Structures are given as structure tokens and as C-alpha cells.
Amino acid sequence: MTDLSTTYLGLRLKNPLVASASPLSKRLDRARQLEEAGIAGIVLYSLFEEQIIHESLELDHYLDRGTESFPEALSYLPDGGLYAIRPEKYLNHVTGLKRALKIPVIGSLNGVSKGGWTNYARRIEEAGADALELNMYYIATDPETSSNDIEDTQVDLVAEVKSAINIPLAVKISPFVTSLPNFVKRLVDAGADGIVLFNRFYQPDFDLDELEIVHSLDLSTSSDLRLPLRWISILHGKVNADFALTSGVHTYTDVLKAMMAGAQVAMMASNLLHNGAQAVAPILSDLAAWMQKREYRSIRQMQGSMSQKSVKEPAAFERANYMKVLSAFRELP
Ligand SMILES: Cc1cc2nc3c(=O)[nH]c(=O)nc-3n(C[C@H](O)[C@H](O)[C@H](O)COP(=O)(O)O)c2cc1C
């Protein structure tokens, strides 16, 4: 029998395929379908710092305080839509999902600054979440702000959240960091049990007729896998944390690659949003079939087998490979 089980953040999972944060976790029936299809764990869509601050400012507003900052805080929030949710409702949803599902449920907080809003980490734990994912989606636009300033704030935020909870903490990060291994090490030293690589950044486009910004969200393809694949390969065995790969997981071969790089789990959103829960079973059966054919007995056996520490050509992950790839390119005749 092929053993597909893995552990992530101390949680035992029946296989390495986890649904990453997305609107799929908004409805209990959808989440149940994912569980029935074989998904081993589910990360909830995020509760945002802005939503929590907005809620408390609104309260202040009605208590006749903080009226100055109230309109500004309102402007951050989309009117309605999938992510317009009251923090209390989010907590109730965590409890509802926990009751409805047997698989682990991971809550998600999304924010960048330290402050009272991080109390929600403890409240998500109290609501029943098995673990917490902290997403620090941030775009630096001020030339006066240094990478050190940003990293220090994020490391402090991780320490603050970690000290508020007893459940494991994973941190979802950006790939755009000058020294990713150093930053990851700092996050782990601050208390992160797992690192989720990577946040997918949604780039605005221009509408040339209307001269307006176009907000578009393109779903990923398997080619998006390469970036997290490289970095998990580099980090595996060097930093004492679990790794979750997110971005570009669509097929069983993507899951295999994630495991061989050194990830504990492969997370999927775009494929599930596009194809629904029916995408899950074929990936798991093809994964097991491939492993059986190649005589792998367990997922554990392959985890990290293609990491930088394990491969015959470690330089393939580094600058040396850059020149090699460029010189191997053949122009069209
Ligand atoms: C519609 C949509 C909503 C998402 N919402 C969240 C969210 O609330 N919090 C979060 O951390 N990531 C969110 N993500 C990012 C996904 O969890 C995932 O990291 C990203 O889509 C890359 O994985 P994929 O290639 O499988 O789509 C969202 C993605 C999509 C497409």
C-alpha cells in the first residue's frame, strides 16, 4: 500500500493536498465536497486587518469617537463582495467548519502591522481552528522605507501573533525579498512553525481607452510552480520549519515536485476554483499510481529528495545555472 500521509504544523494529514485560502472555504457545502473528494486539510479565506480595524472604528464612530479616521478606513474596503465579512461572522464560520469537517481547518489572518487587531489570532484559535496562517501581503512604495524596516515589522508581527496563540502558526510570504533564506530564518526564530511560499501578487493592468487601472485576477498555471519550487528546494534542511507550496499546483506531477523539493504539503486554489472538487480525486489516484510504479512506499520517502542539499547539481539553483541556461538557448534558424 502506498502511504500518502504527511504531517504539517504537527497535524497528521492523510495526503499532501490542501485547499489554500480562497472563497471555496466560504460555504460549508463546498468545503464538505472538498473533504469528500479527498482534500486533506483546508485553509480558510483571510480575515483582513482592515476589516478588523474598520469594525472597531465603526464601533468608535457610533460611540462618537474616532470620527476623523472613519471615512479613510472605509475607503480601504470593497463594497460588498466575497470578502466583505464581519469579524464575528468569520469566527462563527471557523466554528461551523470545524463542526462540519473531520479534516484540519486552518484559519487565516491577513495583515502587516502590529496592533490590537492581532487579538483575532487568539479568537480564531478559540473558535476552533487547528492552526493559523498569517498572510503578510505588502507592497513597498515609499523609497524612504528600507527592506530592514519592513522585515523588522513583519518579524515583530510574527512574534506578537505567536505569543497570543497555542496552535501552530504558518506564515505566508512574498518571494520579493533580498535574502529570502535570512528572512525565513528570522520568521522561524520569531516563532513561525511553517512557511507558506508564496503569496501570488495580482498585478494591475492599464485600460488604454478609458485610461484607468484594470484590477484583474488571473488564475495560475503549472508554470507558476517554478518559483516556490526553487525556493523550497533551497530552504529544505537549512531552516527548521515546515514548508507549504502554493502557486501553480494543478496536477499530480506538481504535487510530486513540491514533495521532492521538500514541502510537507502542496496547496491548491486556482484548479479548485476552476474545476471544483472533482479535480481532487484524479490527482490523488495518479499520485499513488505513479509512486507505486516507481516503487516509492511513502510521501515521506520522497520529501526533500530533490532539494539543493540532495541533488547531484546544487549549483542548478544558483547563479551558475543562469549563464548555463542563457548559453543553452538556441535561436530559431
Ligand atoms: C479568488 C482568490 C481568493 C484568494 N483569497 C486568499 C485569501 O483570502 N488569503 C490568502 O492568503 N490567499 C488567498 N488567495 C491566494 C491562494 O490561497 C493561493 O495562494 C494562490 O492563488 C496561489 O495558488 P494557486 O496557484 O493554486 O491558485 C486567493 C486566491 C484566489 C484566486
Side-chain angles (χ1 to χ4, degrees):
M1 239 340 238
T2 314
D3 177 10
L4 294 187
S5 71
T6 182
T7 56
Y8 176 54
L9 307 174
L11 305 165
R12 279 194 61 80
L13 303 185
K14 60 188 172 187
N15 67 62
L17 200 55
V18 168
S20 68
S22 88
L24 283 163
S25 53
K26 284 221 119 181
R27 286 187 12 208
L28 287 187
D29 58 338
R30 283 249 185 108
R32 252 194 230 108
Q33 281 168 7
L34 289 173
E35 179 177 69
E36 280 159 17
I39 275 284
I42 186 162
V43 185
L44 255 78
Y45 61 96
S46 295
L47 178 60
F48 287 78
E49 173 181 353
E50 290 83 347
Q51 290 167 314
I52 297 168
I53 291 174
H54 170 247
E55 172 107 333
S56 72
L57 284 176
E58 197 177 41
L59 190 66
D60 274 1
H61 179 70
Y62 288 120
L63 297 173
D64 219 4
R65 280 184 282 132
T67 42
E68 286 293 283
S69 43
F70 184 60
E72 191 194 332
L74 269 181
S75 70
Y76 300 140
L77 289 173
D79 320 324
L82 280 167
Y83 280 70
I85 184 168
R86 297 251 168 210
E88 282 304 322
K89 205 166 160 205
Y90 186 90
L91 298 174
N92 291 339
H93 190 55
V94 173
T95 309
L97 274 181
K98 253 324 271 180
R99 285 206 189 111
L101 304 176
K102 292 190 192 71
I103 54 175
V105 170
I106 302 176
S108 169
L109 265 186
N110 203 316
V112 284
S113 51
K114 285 171 58 177
W117 73 276
T118 59
N119 290 338
Y120 273 83
R122 189 176 24 81
R123 299 191 64 187
I124 289 173
E125 172 176 355
E126 287 163 1
D130 296 293
L132 180 70
E133 190 173 287
L134 174 66
N135 182 332
M136 302 193 296
Y137 190 112
Y138 181 73
I139 310 278
T141 52
D142 178 358
E144 299 301 326
T145 309
S146 74
S147 49
N148 269 344
D149 296 338
I150 296 166
E151 290 183 18
D152 289 350
T153 308
Q154 296 194 341
V155 167
D156 288 350
L157 175 60
V158 167
E160 183 172 295
V161 169
K162 178 68 182 180
S163 69
I165 55 175
N166 295 308
I167 49 175
L169 175 66
V171 181
K172 189 167 182 178
I173 59 168
S174 152
F176 307 119
V177 178
T178 309
S179 171
L180 195 87
N182 178 261
F183 180 52
V184 166
K185 181 179 179 300
R186 290 188 69 198
L187 296 175
V188 173
D189 290 346
D193 303 291
I195 305 291
V196 184
L197 304 94
F198 286 116
N199 254 324
R200 225 172 138 242
F201 281 79
Y202 302 104
Q203 319 293 357
D205 200 356
F206 295 163
D207 178 329
L208 295 180
D209 294 322
E210 301 297 328
L211 295 183
E212 280 177 354
I213 303 291
V214 181
H215 303 277
S216 60
L217 191 162
D218 299 324
L219 296 179
S220 69
T221 66
S222 286
S223 63
D224 292 296
L225 189 82
R226 304 264 187 96
L227 186 66
L229 199 65
R230 170 194 228 139
W231 283 108
I232 292 177
S233 300
I234 290 173
L235 292 165
H236 176 80
K238 294 183 188 155
V239 181
N240 188 17
D242 285 353
F243 297 111
L245 187 151
T246 170
S247 281
V249 176
H250 287 258
T251 65
Y252 78 96
T253 52
D254 296 334
V255 178
L256 284 166
K257 289 175 188 175
M259 296 302 108
M260 290 188 185
Q264 267 66 37
V265 290
M267 292 186 170
M268 200 157 71
S270 290
N271 188 3
L272 297 175
L273 287 165
H274 193 243
N275 297 309
Q278 63 185 14
V280 176
I283 294 180
L284 293 175
S285 58
D286 289 350
L287 179 66
W290 188 94
M291 286 171 64
Q292 221 156 10
K293 199 164 141 208
R294 303 292 169 112
E295 298 181 354
Y296 281 97
R297 287 181 312 284
S298 69
I299 285 286
R300 241 158 275 199
Q301 195 186 347
M302 66 173 69
Q303 275 165 334
S305 59
M306 293 286 287
S307 68
Q308 191 179 25
K309 281 196 157 178
S310 308
V311 288
K312 274 191 253 140
E313 197 196 351
F317 295 101
E318 297 177 358
R319 179 180 162 85
N321 187 52
Y322 172 52
M323 275 182 67
K324 211 167 164 183
V325 169
L326 296 186
S327 39
F329 182 76
R330 294 282 163 263
E331 282 181 50
L332 289 174

